[in-house]
Amino acid sequence: HLVHRTGPKGTASLESCKEMLAAAETRDIGYQQVACVLLFMVMAHNGEAYEPGVFVSALRQHRAGQRLDWQDVVHSFDREGLVVTKRQFLGLYNALLPLAHEYENFDIQLLWGDNWDHLITQLSFVVAFLSHSAEELDASQIPRLRTAFDLEQFQDASDEVKAAAAKAVKHPFVSLDATTTLFSTIFRSQEYYAHAQSLGIPNRTINSSTDIFVVAASG
């Protein structure tokens, strides 16, 4: 596709990306193609060659991009056999986050929540999301976040617990969609649980944040 032919210089700046998109046929810029391009950008060259955030910004100013439903783009990640790493997920998340801040009707929580057709793929996304620390991904900055718990629940707690809760509300485990998806998927069957173990659940994802996990699960 055009991005592959142009190479990394196509997203080196907003202007160069707009030039690249100007050469594209409008009919070739649909939500499925955009999803494929974003996946290519975060996966090629270990995710270091392209700037998916620049691509999204340029596309929003393109005549075809202005007609895109970005929720459809996210839904297009729901495909068989797709597995994303923590780094690849963060590339997608950071590229799409500005859309969530600007558009009330764009829900970035679809990137790990909601009902997917391919649960193994969704599990890959939710595990990648939950693998981040609050420093790497501050969940409190997610627009319209549906939370598993909030600070009001700890009003009568000790100062030590309050301090822990203040950190916990920034961790991805605060996402109700993420914890709900995680549990409903890994306990669906022995097959899913075995697959979850192969992804490092519960050892890496849950045990590394046990205190936050317990709060989220009880919330």
Side-chain angles (χ1 to χ4, degrees):
H1 49 65
L2 185 63
V3 174
H4 191 265
R5 289 201 307 273
T6 308
K9 68 177 186 287
T11 60
S13 70
L14 186 61
E15 286 308 310
S16 61
C17 197
K18 287 163 80 170
E19 286 178 20
M20 176 181 70
L21 289 171
E25 294 284 346
T26 302
R27 67 174 180 271
D28 293 332
I29 305 179
Y31 66 88
Q32 290 174 319
Q33 290 91 337
V34 171
C36 288
V37 168
L38 287 172
L39 289 172
F40 170 75
M41 287 183 173
V42 299
M43 291 179 175
H45 307 290
N46 203 26
E48 296 175 353
Y50 295 89
E51 295 291 341
V54 172
F55 173 72
V56 170
S57 295
L59 191 53
R60 288 169 64 189
Q61 298 178 36
H62 189 276
R63 61 190 182 281
Q66 289 171 354
R67 295 198 298 269
L68 270 180
D69 185 333
W70 287 94
Q71 305 235 129
D72 287 340
V73 174
V74 175
H75 283 309
S76 291
F77 298 142
D78 180 5
R79 57 185 68 182
E80 188 172 2
L82 177 60
V83 175
V84 293
T85 65
K86 176 180 173 180
R87 179 174 186 153
Q88 291 163 355
F89 175 90
L90 191 61
L92 294 172
Y93 172 86
N94 286 335
L96 296 169
L97 187 60
L99 298 170
H101 282 292
E102 184 155 338
Y103 303 128
E104 285 278 335
N105 62 349
F106 177 69
D107 185 7
I108 198 169
Q109 295 163 94
L110 295 176
L111 202 52
W112 56 87
D114 202 29
N115 298 311
W116 292 37
D117 291 329
H118 302 93
L119 294 180
I120 295 296
T121 301
Q122 184 177 17
L123 191 59
S124 162
F125 275 76
V126 75
V127 169
F129 172 62
L130 292 173
S131 296
H132 289 86
S133 66
E135 290 72 32
E136 293 168 324
L137 195 162
D138 183 349
S140 68
Q141 299 304 305
I142 297 171
R144 300 169 293 282
L145 177 67
R146 292 176 287 276
T147 58
F149 57 92
D150 57 47
L151 286 177
E152 289 183 11
Q153 293 173 242
F154 302 93
Q155 283 182 334
D156 301 324
S158 67
D159 289 344
E160 185 180 0
V161 171
K162 283 181 180 177
K167 291 182 180 179
V169 293
K170 295 183 177 183
H171 192 281
F173 263 117
V174 75
S175 166
L176 179 62
D177 291 42
T179 52
T180 301
T181 298
L182 182 67
F183 294 127
S184 65
T185 305
I186 66 175
F187 295 122
R188 184 175 292 264
S189 70
Q190 279 293 113
E191 178 191 359
Y192 283 110
Y193 188 75
H195 185 75
Q197 286 183 308
S198 73
L199 291 173
I201 312 167
N203 292 345
R204 190 179 70 237
T205 307
I206 295 176
N207 293 353
S208 61
S209 308
T210 303
D211 51 344
I212 299 171
F213 165 74
V214 170
V215 172
S218 60

